[in-house]
Amino acid sequence: MRFKPDFALHPATLFLLLTVLVVACSCVGEFYGLHFVLPMTGETVFVRNLLSAEGARWILRSVVSNFQTFEPVSMMVVAMIGVGIAEHSGLWEALLPMRSNRKRQRVAILSVIFIGLLSNVIGDANYILMFPLAAFVFRSSSLHPLAGVLTAFVATSAGYSANVIQTSVDAILASDTLDVAQWLNVSSAHVGSLCTSYFMAASVPLLTVVIYVMTQRYLIPLLGDYENSVPLRTRVLSSQERRAVMVSLTGGAIFVLAVLIYTFSSLGIFRAVGGGLTRSPFMDGILFLIALVMGLMGVIYGFVSGRYSCDVDVVNGSISGLRLIAPFLLLAFFSAQLNACLTYSHLSQYLVVRITDWLSSLIVAPLSSLFWLAIVTALANLCMASAAGKWMLMSPLLLVPLHQAGIAPEEALCAFRIGDSATNILSPVMSYLPVLLAFMQLYTHRFSMRFLWKCCMPFSLAIFTAWLLLFILWHIVGLPLGL
């Protein structure tokens, strides 16, 4: 048999190689004195060599802390405890339908897409929770569970800015835009947390249609049938199991009602000091609350149905949910080092500033300037994942020339958010990429970044094109972007 080399590297290996590349580039950057100036402060920042004496000391001191402070790690553990109990107890199996049809499949796909688009209202917890739920919904409709995971990833990541509800990201980016505009003496009368709300709300049905068509026409045929498919529930639930389902759903509803009362009533215990939801106990603890209600419903179902008889069964259920942790921790470790090295060396910031400088030379006509802003942001997103971090580097360099070209700050922000969202699913520095990869390896042996990019690249191009065309049409017609 002739040997055929497989160049599909394991994602952990790819993260390691990218980290080595960052280290090498940091050496070259220091040798050539690469630097940039922070627009807001005037401070000159040089690229730092990771192999210098100072850089080597930083690596030794920070390897463990980089991993410890990598936010997805703790979030994944908390979420999977609740998910594990709900699955181990048999609750998810009991909720599976007896049969499926094309109508149910269409509803399943649209539900995952729509909920994924709106889920950014709960912050980054949406990445942890949407993947197992989407796999469950697709499997219950006789669809490949990996298609559900990837569809949820596309909706939550590439459609991150689209929503009909104000999110914390809206408030943060609007506040940053207002600060920069006032510092530059650029008109900011229409800049606010809802300054792009109309356009982003209109983007939801557009992206829903685009992602649905791409899922049906491209992703599902690409993945084919699920090789390890688990048949749908083939037996009718017993009266005890039906009662257990009703009791668990009732218990979950009571818990949710109590949380809503403590948050939105006059008590306001879970709201922030100022009365809002931004940085409130409710938003900070939303992942724990959702994992808790799932675990609670699983425990109730397990004991009422007779599957659980003691606390050991509950603990075993919790442990079963952590079966993903070993491969996830390996991926998270190397991803954390990659992101930390990029930040310490200032390479990502340097690239963003330099590509923004190049963009400023292209600003002439309003329409072409907005087009290039979206393109450049999409490229910058591949080396820096933080939307706020990119915008704070780009906006001070762009708002003045954009204003001179007749572009308001809120229009620039809108174009930025389109580019920033569309390539999230392609960025190797996205913090929650290890979470997706951990779920991917459950459902396919084609476990590589090459396969992931093959699945996601058409989605990214389709979403970016459709979203940008809507924005251009919006601009030509002259519709208000928001309040």
Side-chain angles (χ1 to χ4, degrees):
M1 179 180 293
R2 189 174 181 178
F3 173 72
K4 292 184 179 181
D6 184 6
F7 295 106
L9 295 175
H10 190 283
T13 306
L14 182 61
F15 288 143
L16 175 60
L17 293 178
L18 288 176
T19 304
V20 173
L21 178 62
V22 169
V23 172
C25 290
S26 71
C27 297
V28 175
E30 186 192 50
F31 179 79
Y32 285 101
L34 300 183
H35 65 277
F36 61 94
V37 178
L38 292 175
M40 296 287 285
T41 62
E43 177 188 358
T44 300
V45 179
F46 287 86
V47 172
R48 291 195 283 194
N49 184 0
L50 285 161
L51 290 183
S52 65
E54 181 184 355
R57 288 195 295 268
W58 174 84
I59 291 176
L60 290 179
R61 286 196 303 262
S62 305
V63 168
V64 175
S65 61
N66 292 339
F67 183 57
Q68 288 176 333
T69 57
F70 196 56
E71 190 174 16
V73 173
S74 56
M75 296 176 68
M76 184 73 164
V77 173
V78 171
M80 295 313 297
I81 290 176
V83 171
I85 295 175
E87 183 177 10
H88 182 266
S89 67
L91 176 61
W92 282 21
E93 179 186 356
L95 294 175
L96 285 172
M98 289 289 291
R99 60 184 62 87
S100 182
N101 52 46
R102 289 189 177 275
K103 182 178 179 181
R104 182 182 292 276
Q105 290 178 348
R106 288 195 294 269
V107 171
I109 296 172
L110 288 170
S111 299
V112 168
I113 295 171
F114 187 70
I115 295 173
L117 288 171
L118 301 187
S119 65
N120 59 41
V121 72
I122 65 174
D124 292 341
N126 62 344
Y127 293 107
I128 309 290
L129 296 170
M130 281 300 300
F131 298 153
L133 294 178
F136 165 73
V137 170
F138 270 55
R139 189 185 64 161
S140 69
S141 302
S142 300
L143 294 169
H144 202 306
L146 180 58
V149 173
L150 291 174
T151 301
F153 178 56
V154 170
T156 55
S157 301
Y160 190 77
S161 293
N163 211 317
V164 297
I165 307 171
Q166 181 186 356
T167 67
S168 58
V169 177
D170 296 328
I172 292 172
L173 291 178
S175 176
D176 292 342
T177 305
L178 183 62
D179 291 341
V180 173
Q182 291 176 345
W183 179 72
L184 295 172
N185 292 321
V186 173
S187 176
S188 57
H190 299 289
V191 177
S193 58
L194 298 175
C195 63
T196 60
S197 57
Y198 294 161
F199 177 78
M200 292 305 173
S203 301
V204 172
L206 171 69
L207 297 187
T208 300
V209 172
V210 171
I211 298 173
Y212 175 81
V213 171
M214 292 297 298
T215 300
Q216 285 277 38
R217 302 285 181 87
Y218 177 75
L219 183 60
I220 292 178
L222 174 68
L223 296 177
D225 296 329
Y226 182 39
E227 297 177 358
N228 300 318
S229 179
V230 178
L232 296 178
R233 179 169 52 84
T234 56
R235 65 179 181 83
V236 178
L237 295 177
S238 66
S239 58
Q240 184 178 7
E241 289 171 327
R242 289 196 299 271
R243 183 171 65 253
V245 170
M246 293 303 299
V247 174
S248 64
L249 292 176
T250 302
I254 293 173
F255 179 86
V256 171
L257 180 62
V259 171
L260 293 177
I261 290 174
Y262 277 113
T263 304
F264 297 101
S265 71
S266 57
L267 294 173
I269 295 176
F270 293 158
R271 290 203 299 267
V273 177
L277 291 179
T278 303
R279 295 187 176 88
S280 64
F282 175 77
M283 293 305 300
D284 291 342
I286 189 68
L287 176 66
F288 170 72
L289 291 172
I290 296 175
L292 181 59
V293 71
M294 294 176 67
L296 175 64
M297 292 171 62
V299 169
I300 293 174
Y301 178 84
F303 280 106
V304 176
S305 66
R307 293 201 178 191
Y308 286 173
S309 59
C310 62
D311 65 301
V312 176
D313 296 326
V314 179
V315 173
N316 289 335
S318 303
I319 295 173
S320 72
L322 300 177
R323 66 188 184 279
L324 282 177
I325 293 302
F328 165 73
L329 290 180
L330 177 67
L331 292 165
F333 174 79
F334 288 108
S335 179
Q337 306 311 319
L338 171 61
N339 282 276
C341 287
L342 270 173
T343 301
Y344 176 84
S345 65
H346 297 144
L347 277 172
S348 56
Q349 298 97 314
Y350 173 81
L351 291 173
V352 171
V353 170
R354 285 291 164 257
I355 199 172
T356 305
D357 286 337
W358 174 73
L359 170 62
S360 62
S361 65
L362 300 177
I363 296 176
V364 182
L367 207 56
S368 63
S369 300
L370 291 171
F371 171 80
W372 282 111
L373 173 57
I375 292 286
V376 166
T377 304
L379 294 175
N381 196 40
L382 299 177
C383 64
M384 179 184 285
S386 170
K390 285 194 298 289
W391 188 234
M392 284 304 293
L393 288 172
M394 297 175 67
S395 57
L397 298 173
L398 294 176
L399 289 189
V400 170
L402 288 172
H403 175 71
Q404 293 171 348
I407 299 173
E410 61 271 16
E411 291 181 296
L413 176 60
C414 202
F416 167 83
R417 298 194 69 179
I418 292 173
D420 177 65
S421 297
T423 53
N424 274 337
I425 54 178
L426 303 177
S427 177
V429 297
M430 181 187 180
S431 297
Y432 292 89
L433 184 58
V435 179
L436 169 73
L437 294 169
F439 279 101
M440 280 183 62
Q441 58 91 30
L442 284 178
Y443 304 114
T444 182
H445 62 278
R446 294 180 291 180
F447 179 53
S448 66
M449 289 296 294
R450 186 175 67 180
F451 177 68
L452 174 61
W453 287 330
K454 179 180 179 180
C455 292
C456 292
M457 179 71 77
F459 279 97
S460 182
L461 294 175
I463 289 172
F464 182 79
T465 302
W467 211 349
L468 191 57
L469 288 175
L470 175 64
F471 179 61
I472 291 173
L473 179 62
W474 203 284
H475 178 79
I476 293 173
V477 175
L479 296 175
L481 291 172
L483 294 175

